[in-house]
Amino acid sequence: MEREEVTVTVNGVRHERMVEPRRLLCDFIREDLGLSGTHVGCEHGVCGMCTVLVDGRTARSCLMFAVQVDGASITTVEGLGTPSKMHPLQEAFREKHGLQCGFCTPAMLVTALELLDHDPNPSRDDIREAVSSNLCRCTGYQTIVDSIEYAATLMRGGAR
Amino acid sequence: MTSQPTGYRWIGQSMKRVEDPRLLTGRGQYVDDIGLPNMTHAAVLRSPHAHARIRSIDTSKAKAVPGVVLVMTGAEAAQQTGPLPCFASPPVAQYCIAVDRVRHVGEAVAAVVAESRYIAEDAADLIEVEYAPLPVVIDPEEATRSTGDAVLHPERGPSNVALQRTLTFGPVDEDFARADVVVRRKLRWPRSGAQPMETVGALASYDDATGKFSIHANTSMYNYVGWLMAMSLKVPAHKLNIIPAIAGGSFGSKLFTHKVPILAATLARACGRPVKYLEDRIDNIMSCDNHGSDRIYDLELALKKDGTMLSLRMKVIDDYGAYLQFGVGHHGNALAQLTGPYRIKSAQVSLTAVLTNKGQQGAYRGFGSEVNNFVVERMADAAAEAVAMDPVDIRRKNFIQPDQFPYKIPTGNLYDSGNYEAVLDKALEMADYHGWRRKQHEARQAGRYVGIGLVSCQERSVFSATEFWFWNHEPGFALTSSPDSVDVKIDPTGKAFVRLHAPFWGNSPETVATQILAEQLTMDPADITVTYSDTDSGLPGTGPGGSRYTVMIAGAIAGAAKELREKMFKVAAHLLEASESDLELRDGRVGVRGTDRGMSIGDIALQAHYFKLSLPPDVRSGLDARYTYDHPYTTLPNADRTDMGVFYPIMGHMCHIPIIEVDIETGQITFLKYVAVHDAGTVVNPMTLAGHIRGGTVQGIGSALYEHYYYDPSGQLLTANFADYLIPTLMEAPENIEVGHVVTPSPYTEYGIKGGGEGGRMGAPAALASAVEDALKPLGIKIDSLPIRPVLLREMIREAQQRRP
């Protein structure tokens, strides 16, 4: 199959790749770029595991082709923090037990990042609305909402 | 005693999880994140028929696709690889790719290996299969009468009944004869499943120089029964190494999952390259081998007029689907707490396990006991109504009392300890139960349908092995062991290396092991690291499941720590020229009591590793210990099965009180409050235990209200994706599940810990049924069947309104 050139910036790093037009964005990110923090749960756009930010907006990477992000800027979980220097969102998820198996967590984190970028002081209802797009089978969601609420506090500079 | 034991430094602390930093930063290394040089990818062609003979398979077009490495049919695979492991007696033959006949929609018919998953899936579409359809059996009651071609496994006999047996415990007939009231209900528990966000996968390679397989897989029980995969692959057990990958959730459903690793290994051996196979979601829903219970119950509860429960009789048909990998272990499990928290003196269970054209049952959080809780609690509510008692009062009246433990229930299982009224009282207080009864009354007068559910359920923990076979007429491989092990090494710098022999599958094994070892050796948790063995290096390990792992590794770590302490004391006594009896371990130091003389663990470790000539002559170098901890209390069943022995004695308890409102125009259910009080004995980490309770509760809400593997009469699974199989989103979950703990330590386990991993899902379905029935009491609606989907609820409401306009 003929390949097309894709130029994309992921977590601030520019990549040029030749890809098949049918290649899914999630496979491109995970396999071609080696960023396996973005997970795949259903491949039909329901569960939200594969969520990444495309030009700052959440997108399901199993429902996009890699060629669609030519020229775009993408953020994945690897663009947040590292184990020794975690992003406040990651710190907050650890503090409030916002994860168990961790499989949905990267998607929850970038979804929360989009929310907090637009609204640094969201209500619990705003948080619930924002992350209701993503499934989590472990936590029952309550501590995910707690985590994002706490992250907002941390990011506003007022650790409690 | 009903309180958390005091005096511990780490037990009982909500320590932040040590697993989290790598999971939070995308470095989890789940099975699909692992790659090998020269790796290929597999896809599976699946049957569109529920039951059919395979007449012919033409793979020529698929083989011609550029990039295809191998195409394999079931017949070809069976030349290399035998039937899959099966724990039923007699076994039911299942293959990693179906041979000659398919028995459910989604069963594998052929596999393709290619340079990419894309090419493999393209090629799978080009395989041409000719099927000869056979009669389809979907209805469990009809399955009891199947004959001829409708029999799924004729080699096992001319029937789809896999097992029929009646067990009687105590004087059931006499108890029914002296009853004032007999309450009868017919209840239906529907087929649902764990559906973790990560599916099942394996990356297998075969080294023809050594004749050895290596398989990365998100399986559990690899150190318990992993060698059975070698038997299927027809190699000696030492020619197979299973390397665990962390699991993106299991909830039971990755208990063994042997089919996917065996398939990947079969393909890898045939093509000579590493093969990765990961189920996609539809594969997983149709064919993960881990559907949950699917039961029809006829129940009778014998009562005195005053509400005293005397005896429980149940007839149950359970639809196991097309195969029977774990036998009827789920019904063994249910016998652990058959009569709930109540002083019911006798019981009878008549089980008919049937085979049908559905995906087979496996494990899902509760393993059959969540269903038993549902029916016992439905019967308790029905009993309360029959004798005109409050649902709280009838429970209180029948509870086993704190001074009656250890308490032997009619089945022979023993409950170690408990204080059920304390749990009930705490839940009633947290929920403001009486206040809500008043509010409910006001709401009803305003035309609103508010319901208060209440259940008091058992939460058996720490499975042993006998439940898997004691129902069988011929027990088969009647194993009695279910150990877990740990090895602990302290290196010359004083750091501790803990190795677990069971995987991470979404729980917190590293955190729990760290807390317990830190407690045992008075170490700083930051000085402890935890890893996982593979089967090459594995010690006996049964692994998580049945809420057992925290209890079991606590026992194993305590055993290993004792050996380490003895060696450290011996070395320190020698070097400090002190008597061992004068030494104490405190804050990471072995010191002479009452003095400032002592050595740190690191000092002792350095001596133990490098200064042999300074050690007592009979002390060998190094500082390490391995310990295998057996199930703390299990006994054999008797020969005629009137007493199943003690097999699940570590008994937790819970009270769930959901308060809901039903919109009778739409059937929608809204949570007004949710209280869950649990007694899981001594709590190791309140934060992670609460996480299990909340997460399990929302799974239970899914089972109660939304989730259903729904097969139509032709055997098509109409809910084979996440648009149709409805997992609760944040919008369906209660905003605040208020969790309370009561602590009744177990007398049989280290620290008095009981398991709590399944608890939420073992109570919530029964609680929701109770709440919805309570809300609709003015309409006279009974909840006998789950899931209570809005559309079904609307139908019931419409019918009720027509009955009483």
Side-chain angles (χ1 to χ4, degrees):
Chain A
M1 206 172 286
E2 229 169 273
R3 291 175 181 239
E4 293 193 14
E5 188 176 328
V6 171
T7 303
V8 60
T9 301
V10 180
N11 303 328
V13 179
R14 192 180 140 95
H15 299 273
E16 287 175 31
R17 289 283 196 284
M18 299 298 290
V19 299
E20 284 185 6
R22 68 170 175 174
R23 191 151 185 78
L24 296 175
L25 179 58
C26 56
D27 293 336
F28 176 77
I29 290 169
R30 289 178 47 80
E31 293 173 19
D32 300 358
L33 304 185
L35 297 171
S36 61
T38 299
H39 300 143
V40 177
C42 74
E43 292 180 279
H44 50 264
V46 179
C47 74
M49 295 302 112
C50 62
T51 305
V52 296
L53 299 184
V54 177
D55 292 329
R57 299 192 57 186
T58 47
R60 289 202 176 352
S61 62
C62 79
L63 294 185
M64 286 184 80
F65 296 113
V67 292
Q68 290 177 277
V69 298
D70 188 36
S73 177
I74 289 178
T75 303
T76 69
V77 68
E78 289 90 346
L80 273 72
T82 61
S84 56
K85 193 172 190 310
M86 289 200 285
H87 186 279
L89 262 168
Q90 292 163 319
E91 293 281 5
F93 268 69
R94 189 177 188 206
E95 183 69 34
K96 299 294 182 187
H97 197 35
L99 70 158
Q100 290 178 31
C101 83
F103 201 73
C104 75
T105 310
M108 288 288 182
L109 290 170
V110 298
T111 305
L113 190 63
E114 179 192 39
L115 170 71
L116 298 183
D117 272 353
H118 290 91
D119 180 0
N121 193 11
S123 69
R124 283 183 78 87
D125 278 347
D126 295 334
I127 296 169
R128 287 166 57 79
E129 181 73 32
V131 296
S132 64
S133 53
N134 296 14
L135 295 180
C136 167
R137 195 58 158 161
C138 294
T139 62
Y141 303 103
Q142 186 173 331
T143 53
I144 291 176
V145 179
D146 293 344
S147 300
I148 297 168
E149 193 178 37
Y150 182 53
T153 317
L154 292 179
M155 288 165 75
R156 290 197 308 271
R160 57 180 178 210
Chain B
M1 178 165 64
T2 304
S3 60
Q4 174 87 3
T6 53
Y8 296 128
R9 172 75 183 84
W10 296 106
I11 303 290
Q13 297 296 316
S14 287
M15 192 177 98
K16 285 195 258 185
R17 297 206 319 165
V18 298
E19 294 87 349
D20 282 353
R22 67 184 197 275
L23 301 180
L24 280 161
T25 53
R27 289 154 171 83
Q29 289 292 297
Y30 300 89
V31 67
D32 194 30
D33 305 340
I34 301 166
L36 287 173
N38 210 24
M39 182 172 80
T40 61
H41 300 264
V44 170
L45 176 70
R46 296 188 176 278
S47 170
H49 291 279
H51 198 193
R53 284 205 177 83
I54 300 169
R55 277 220 174 107
S56 65
I57 304 182
D58 182 349
T59 59
S60 54
K61 286 181 188 159
K63 282 178 175 159
V65 174
V68 168
V69 176
L70 173 76
V71 181
M72 197 175 235
T73 65
E76 289 161 352
Q79 289 170 14
Q80 302 283 322
T81 297
L84 301 176
C86 180
F87 301 91
S89 174
V92 174
Q94 182 193 10
Y95 291 84
C96 63
I97 307 175
V99 180
D100 296 335
R101 182 197 275 239
V102 290
R103 295 181 178 85
H104 64 89
V105 157
E107 186 161 15
V109 175
V112 180
V113 179
E115 298 296 340
S116 78
R117 179 75 179 242
Y118 290 75
I119 296 170
E121 291 188 11
D122 287 347
D125 283 347
L126 298 175
I127 298 172
E128 290 167 359
V129 186
E130 201 184 335
Y131 296 95
L134 292 166
V136 174
V137 188
I138 290 302
D139 180 72
E141 286 172 324
E142 191 191 312
T144 63
R145 302 183 293 269
S146 300
T147 55
D149 278 349
V151 174
L152 272 73
H153 297 276
E155 74 286 357
R156 234 176 152 264
S159 164
N160 281 327
V161 175
L163 185 136
Q164 209 299 316
R165 189 165 187 179
T166 300
L167 298 176
T168 305
F169 307 105
V172 174
D173 291 340
E174 291 87 329
D175 284 341
F176 269 82
R178 68 191 176 93
D180 300 322
V181 183
V182 175
V183 179
R184 295 188 174 82
R185 292 287 281 263
K186 184 165 177 136
L187 299 177
R188 184 76 173 92
W189 178 274
R191 178 172 289 245
S192 64
Q195 290 300 314
M197 291 298 105
E198 181 209 39
T199 60
V200 180
L203 167 55
S205 52
Y206 178 72
D207 181 341
D208 61 5
T210 59
K212 186 161 182 167
F213 288 100
S214 293
I215 309 178
H216 297 269
N218 50 11
T219 174
S220 184
M221 299 212 304
Y222 58 95
N223 277 322
Y224 193 41
V225 288
W227 60 276
L228 290 171
M229 293 197 205
M231 303 298 105
S232 288
L233 292 162
K234 298 183 180 173
V235 294
H238 65 299
K239 296 294 184 183
L240 170 73
N241 187 29
I242 301 168
I243 306 149
I246 71 167
S250 166
F251 320 109
S253 74
K254 287 169 182 151
L255 189 64
F256 193 25
T257 53
H258 43 273
K259 184 172 71 187
V260 165
I262 289 170
L263 173 64
T266 299
L267 297 170
R269 174 165 56 187
C271 75
R273 290 172 61 181
V275 175
K276 180 187 280 183
Y277 175 63
L278 190 86
E279 296 172 336
D280 68 20
R281 179 56 55 184
I282 294 168
D283 294 338
N284 183 265
I285 292 181
M286 293 193 300
S287 195
C288 64
D289 293 328
N290 277 286
H291 286 191
S293 298
D294 187 353
R295 302 185 184 174
I296 300 168
Y297 278 91
D298 273 302
L299 295 135
E300 294 179 301
L301 178 63
L303 294 163
K304 298 302 278 183
K305 285 198 292 268
D306 67 356
T308 303
M309 298 175 184
L310 299 173
S311 185
L312 179 66
R313 239 188 221 146
M314 52 175 83
K315 285 185 189 155
V316 53
I317 300 175
D318 199 342
D319 180 347
Y320 270 87
Y323 300 98
L324 196 64
Q325 59 179 338
F326 297 126
V328 297
H330 314 77
H331 291 272
N333 197 300
L335 297 183
Q337 51 184 54
L338 184 72
T339 43
Y342 309 117
R343 294 187 310 271
I344 297 173
K345 297 292 190 203
S346 63
Q348 184 179 65
V349 188
S350 177
L351 167 65
T352 305
V354 297
L355 299 168
T356 65
N357 297 114
K358 301 177 185 172
Q360 76 172 321
Q361 282 193 26
Y364 181 26
R365 213 169 193 172
F367 204 71
S369 278
E370 80 284 28
V371 193
N372 196 77
N373 282 352
F374 169 73
V375 300
V376 169
E377 290 304 294
R378 290 278 65 213
M379 292 308 281
D381 281 352
E385 189 174 305
V387 297
M389 275 178 86
D390 185 89
V392 174
D393 296 339
I394 198 165
R395 286 172 167 85
R396 210 184 277 280
K397 182 176 183 65
N398 287 283
F399 277 155
I400 299 161
Q401 295 301 306
D403 61 0
Q404 294 181 299
F405 294 98
Y407 185 91
K408 193 177 175 69
I409 69 165
T411 63
N413 192 38
L414 199 76
Y415 295 173
D416 55 351
S417 64
N419 189 340
Y420 304 147
E421 283 206 86
V423 174
L424 177 69
D425 287 334
K426 180 156 190 167
L428 292 173
E429 189 198 327
M430 282 174 65
D432 183 23
Y433 179 84
H434 299 289
W436 271 101
R437 283 285 176 215
R438 283 193 300 277
K439 288 185 220 170
Q440 178 186 40
H441 180 70
E442 290 159 19
R444 272 185 188 154
Q445 287 179 329
R448 290 171 54 202
Y449 293 82
V450 170
I452 301 167
L454 183 143
V455 294
S456 47
C457 302
Q458 300 303 81
E459 191 175 351
R460 87 286 171 277
S461 66
V462 196
F463 72 70
S464 87
T466 57
E467 70 178 61
F468 289 103
W469 52 261
F470 59 37
W471 267 100
N472 298 339
H473 295 291
E474 293 295 327
F477 186 69
L479 78 172
T480 56
S481 306
S482 58
D484 271 292
S485 306
V486 71
D487 47 297
V488 182
K489 172 181 86 178
I490 298 179
D491 85 336
T493 71
K495 306 297 183 194
F497 297 67
V498 179
R499 193 162 50 161
L500 304 178
H501 298 273
F504 172 94
W505 65 345
N507 48 345
S508 311
E510 298 165 36
T511 304
V512 167
T514 299
Q515 283 184 259
I516 293 168
L517 188 67
E519 188 72 52
Q520 285 282 330
L521 296 183
T522 67
M523 287 181 73
D524 182 345
D527 289 336
I528 298 169
T529 184
V530 182
T531 58
Y532 302 91
S533 74
D534 53 16
T535 51
D536 273 359
S537 62
L539 299 174
T542 311
S547 302
R548 71 196 309 279
Y549 203 57
T550 299
V551 167
M552 294 301 289
I553 54 166
I557 290 171
K562 180 167 179 281
E563 291 180 15
L564 290 169
R565 272 198 308 272
E566 284 169 3
K567 184 163 185 177
M568 288 194 294
F569 275 42
K570 198 163 187 179
V571 170
H574 185 73
L575 294 170
L576 293 168
E577 297 177 339
S579 161
E580 276 182 57
S581 58
D582 291 336
L583 298 181
E584 64 177 357
L585 176 61
R586 221 172 142 177
D587 300 329
R589 285 172 64 82
V590 176
V592 181
R593 219 177 267 116
T595 73
D596 58 0
R597 293 174 59 225
M599 296 177 72
S600 71
I601 291 174
D603 292 339
I604 299 169
L606 189 72
Q607 294 291 327
H609 278 275
Y610 292 121
F611 297 93
K612 170 68 181 133
L613 299 182
S614 305
L615 304 179
D618 60 334
V619 171
R620 286 174 293 158
S621 293
L623 188 54
D624 51 78
R626 53 169 53 184
Y627 195 90
T628 297
Y629 179 75
D630 278 305
H631 189 282
Y633 189 179
T634 185
T635 66
L636 282 169
N638 68 2
D640 64 7
R641 302 292 190 266
T642 53
D643 184 327
M644 301 316 232
V646 179
F647 61 100
Y648 233 137
I650 316 303
M651 191 58 62
H653 184 75
M654 76 192 90
C655 180
H656 278 219
I657 303 181
I659 299 168
I660 58 144
E661 179 165 359
V662 179
D663 179 341
I664 63 158
E665 300 299 325
T666 63
Q668 191 184 14
I669 290 164
T670 309
F671 287 96
L672 305 177
K673 196 172 183 72
Y674 201 114
V675 168
V677 177
H678 284 238
D679 183 348
T682 301
V683 179
V684 177
N685 186 319
M687 177 186 81
T688 60
L689 178 61
H692 279 302
I693 293 167
R694 291 200 177 96
T697 296
V698 173
Q699 284 186 339
I701 290 167
S703 304
L705 303 184
Y706 306 106
E707 297 179 33
H708 193 185
Y709 295 132
Y710 179 80
Y711 286 86
D712 78 2
S714 68
Q716 293 300 320
L717 178 54
L718 299 187
T719 53
N721 60 59
F722 276 172
D724 297 317
Y725 186 86
L726 300 177
I727 288 174
T729 74
L730 194 146
M731 290 303 171
E732 284 77 50
E735 279 189 50
N736 183 11
I737 296 172
E738 298 168 51
V739 173
H741 299 295
V742 167
V743 176
T744 315
S746 173
Y748 306 133
T749 67
E750 200 65 42
Y751 297 111
I753 303 166
K754 300 181 182 182
E758 293 158 288
R761 186 170 181 268
M762 295 182 76
L768 263 293
S770 167
V772 174
E773 189 169 290
D774 186 57
L776 300 177
K777 211 173 198 171
L779 296 169
I781 287 172
K782 295 277 177 261
I783 302 298
D784 295 330
S785 176
L786 302 180
I788 322 164
R789 293 186 298 134
V791 60
L792 297 177
L793 202 49
R794 261 303 297 156
E795 261 172 44
M796 286 191 280
I797 292 166
R798 195 180 300 121
E799 280 170 21
Q801 285 170 330
Q802 281 162 1
R803 277 200 308 270
R804 16 174 125 176

